[in-house]
């Protein structure tokens, strides 16, 4: 019996020393307990007087082995933790994953710049709805149903009297209806027309301006546009007004700026003329003022409307309007700060 215990002590204790995992140690303990049970079951074959001594020896052996198991468990746990830490080690000196931050779209950049320039001249921003009634978009702007000028703006109708606004000019009416002069507003926004080629998109952006007060003249319009041209393009940019026609202004003008590319000498961009057409404007037609309850004998005003894409294309040298809406990041990245 004694030999059996001694050989078990030897084999188990050396196996304990070799155990490197909690699982291995546990399996070893189960094996030890099974063998110990076998030894204890031999007790009944011993003479009665030897049994107490044998019991004592077995108990001491059991206790000693359990102490060995416990001590090794502490060591094994530490080894396992160290292995786990090693496996999960993070090299904090490695470069991290970089996430690209977004940036403002060139149309937004130009829109913000326009607002900044005109806000500096005292304009306030008013944003009208993109779905408009026929009245605000056309009729109140002196463009009744059978007016030939309606042909200039191919319209997306949603219902008989409801449409996607074709021009931010609709905002002029909304502002004048609700506010008595003096009025000085800027109205940016999306507009829609059934039109699609290299310089036209069915959705684009306009910036409308409206000033109504006593004694406003075409000279005020010209002076203000000169200031805008110098700030938006270069300090030497000149403004030229050409007679034109819009139902809501009288007189109406087409506004050209001296070509920023060649400085007015004539180049491909300005088609050799030295001038580039940028916006429409004029003195607010008396009928429009009347439609909004403003007395045209007391007040006069000027209005202007420009395409934000057009300004952006001129400013950044973009020759196809579609590149502004494709959202190709290789194009957009060029406008990041
Ligand atoms: N609404 C015109 C258009 O979309 C542009 C325009 C011309 C606006 C003259 C005006 C203006 O306010 O006075 O073609």
């Amino acid at each position: 019996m004694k030999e059996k215990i001694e050989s078990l002590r030897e084999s188990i204790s050396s196996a304990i020393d070799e155990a490197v995992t909690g699982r291995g140690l546990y399996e070893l303990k189960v094996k030890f307990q099974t063998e110990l049970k076998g030894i204890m079951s031999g007790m009944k074959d011993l003479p009665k007087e030897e049994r107490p001594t044998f019991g004592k020896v077995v108990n001491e052996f059991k206790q000693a082995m359990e102490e060995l198991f416990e001590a090794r468990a502490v060591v094994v746990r530490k080894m396992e933790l160290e292995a786990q830490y090693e496996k999960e080690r993070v090299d904090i000196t490695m470069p991290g994953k970089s996430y690209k931050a977004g940036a403002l779209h060139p149309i937004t950049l130009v829109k913000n710049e326009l607002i900044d320039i005109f806000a500096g001249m005292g304009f306030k921003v008013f944003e009208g709805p993109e779905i408009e009634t026929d009245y605000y978009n056309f009729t109140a702007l002196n463009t009744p149903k059978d007016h030939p000028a309606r042909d200039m703006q191919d319209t997306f109708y949603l219902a008989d009297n409801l449409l996607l606004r074709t021009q931010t000019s609709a905002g002029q009416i909304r502002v004048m209806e609700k506010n008595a002069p003096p009025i000085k507003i800027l109205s940016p926004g999306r507009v829609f027309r059934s039109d699609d080629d290299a310089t036209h998109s069915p959705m684009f952006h306009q910036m409308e301006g409206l000033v109504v007060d006593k004694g406003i003249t075409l000279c005020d319009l010209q002076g203000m546009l000169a200031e805008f041209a110098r700030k938006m393009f270069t300090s030497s940019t000149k403004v030229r007004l050409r007679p034109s026609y819009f139902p809501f202004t009288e007189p109406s003008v087409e506004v050209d700026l001296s070509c920023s590319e060649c400085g007015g000498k004539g180049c491909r961009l300005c088609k050799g003329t030295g001038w580039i057409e940028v916006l429409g404007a004029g003195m607010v037609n008396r009928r429009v003022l009347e439609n909004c309850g403003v007395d045209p004998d007391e007040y006069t005003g000027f209005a202007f409307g420009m395409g934000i894409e057009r300004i952006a294309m001129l400013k950044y040298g973009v020759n196809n309007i579609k590149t502004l809406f494709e959202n190709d990041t290789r194009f957009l990245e060029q406008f990041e700060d």
Side-chain angles (χ1 to χ4, degrees):
M1 274 300 185
K2 274 232 161 97
E3 297 84 70
K4 257 193 182 173
I5 289 178
E6 277 323 302
S7 90
L8 186 59
R9 187 198 298 276
E10 232 167 78
S11 69
I12 294 289
S13 50
S14 65
I16 287 176
D17 284 346
E18 280 161 24
V20 287
T21 63
R23 173 104 206 134
L25 203 58
Y26 169 76
E27 279 164 7
L28 193 60
K29 199 166 183 182
V30 172
K31 188 175 160 212
F32 164 69
Q33 280 162 346
T34 317
E35 302 236 353
L36 193 64
K37 242 189 209 162
I39 290 173
M40 278 160 66
S41 68
M43 194 149 85
K44 62 180 185 315
D45 303 327
L46 288 178
K48 246 192 180 157
E49 59 282 8
E50 285 181 26
R51 285 184 198 169
T53 326
F54 176 73
K56 209 173 152 214
V57 169
V58 170
N59 271 339
E60 276 167 11
F61 169 56
K62 192 181 164 202
Q63 205 174 340
M65 295 312 281
E66 266 166 11
E67 275 165 21
L68 281 186
F69 272 113
E70 265 168 40
R72 187 65 189 172
V74 173
V75 174
V76 165
R77 179 79 196 120
K78 201 167 161 230
M79 282 164 71
E80 280 182 330
L81 275 177
E82 271 164 13
Q84 187 189 342
Y85 293 154
E86 193 54 39
K87 211 169 98 193
E88 292 172 2
R89 179 198 285 277
V90 176
D91 182 353
I92 56 163
T93 63
M94 291 267 283
K97 271 189 199 158
S98 66
Y99 292 94
K100 247 187 116 16
L104 293 180
H105 190 276
I107 294 297
T108 309
L109 291 176
V110 171
K111 184 182 95 173
N112 290 348
E113 201 176 337
L114 286 168
I115 292 175
D116 275 356
I117 292 173
F118 285 101
M121 296 190 248
F123 283 76
K124 296 231 151 52
V125 172
F126 165 83
E127 288 188 61
E130 290 175 6
I131 293 176
E132 261 302 2
T133 61
D134 185 281
Y135 176 76
Y136 285 104
N137 195 80
F138 288 126
T139 310
L141 285 161
N142 197 31
T143 320
K145 279 233 149 71
D146 54 357
H147 199 292
R150 285 205 180 197
D151 284 352
M152 295 198 302
Q153 301 181 3
D154 252 333
T155 310
F156 291 113
Y157 281 92
L158 303 174
D160 241 5
N161 281 315
L162 215 54
L163 46 84
L164 293 179
R165 69 174 171 199
T166 60
Q167 50 190 357
T168 43
S169 307
Q172 291 185 26
I173 307 299
R174 290 188 176 273
V175 169
M176 281 194 283
E177 265 184 0
K178 289 244 159 70
N179 305 278
I183 289 169
K184 209 169 183 185
I185 58 108
L186 203 58
S187 190
R190 275 192 202 110
V191 298
F192 307 85
R193 290 182 201 180
S194 181
D195 217 353
D196 204 3
D197 61 36
T199 51
H200 295 90
S201 154
M203 184 287 296
F204 62 105
H205 300 75
Q206 281 188 335
M207 179 74 79
E208 192 83 9
L210 173 71
V211 174
V212 182
D213 203 349
K214 286 182 180 151
I216 298 289
T217 70
L218 203 62
C219 290
D220 297 315
L221 170 68
Q222 190 163 19
M224 190 217 63
L225 289 174
E227 173 75 358
F228 147 73
R230 282 193 295 266
K231 288 225 167 103
M232 194 71 199
F233 295 95
T234 63
S235 55
S236 55
T237 306
K238 293 188 184 53
V239 175
R240 178 174 84 171
L241 305 186
R242 269 184 298 112
S244 184
Y245 175 77
F246 299 102
F248 33 90
T249 42
E250 181 57 38
S252 300
V253 292
E254 208 81 63
V255 180
D256 298 339
L257 301 187
S258 56
C259 180
S260 52
E261 189 78 9
C262 62
K265 288 192 216 55
C267 67
R268 263 210 359 229
L269 183 68
C270 59
K271 300 191 184 92
T273 63
W275 295 96
I276 293 181
E277 186 189 316
V278 254
L279 58 106
M283 297 305 292
V284 181
N285 192 305
R286 350 182 359 110
R287 291 220 188 140
V288 174
L289 293 175
E290 274 164 8
N291 288 341
C292 303
V294 177
D295 181 356
D297 294 323
E298 195 182 352
Y299 294 103
T300 52
F302 67 73
F304 61 89
M306 63 183 92
I308 299 182
E309 280 78 3
R310 174 127 182 94
I311 305 285
M313 288 166 82
L314 288 172
K315 195 172 162 74
Y316 298 125
V318 176
N319 52 21
N320 191 331
I321 195 168
K322 299 294 182 309
T323 46
L324 290 170
F325 302 123
E326 277 164 356
N327 287 336
D328 184 332
T329 50
R330 288 167 303 178
F331 171 75
L332 296 176
E333 272 165 6
Q334 302 175 72
F335 300 94
E336 283 175 20
D337 282 337

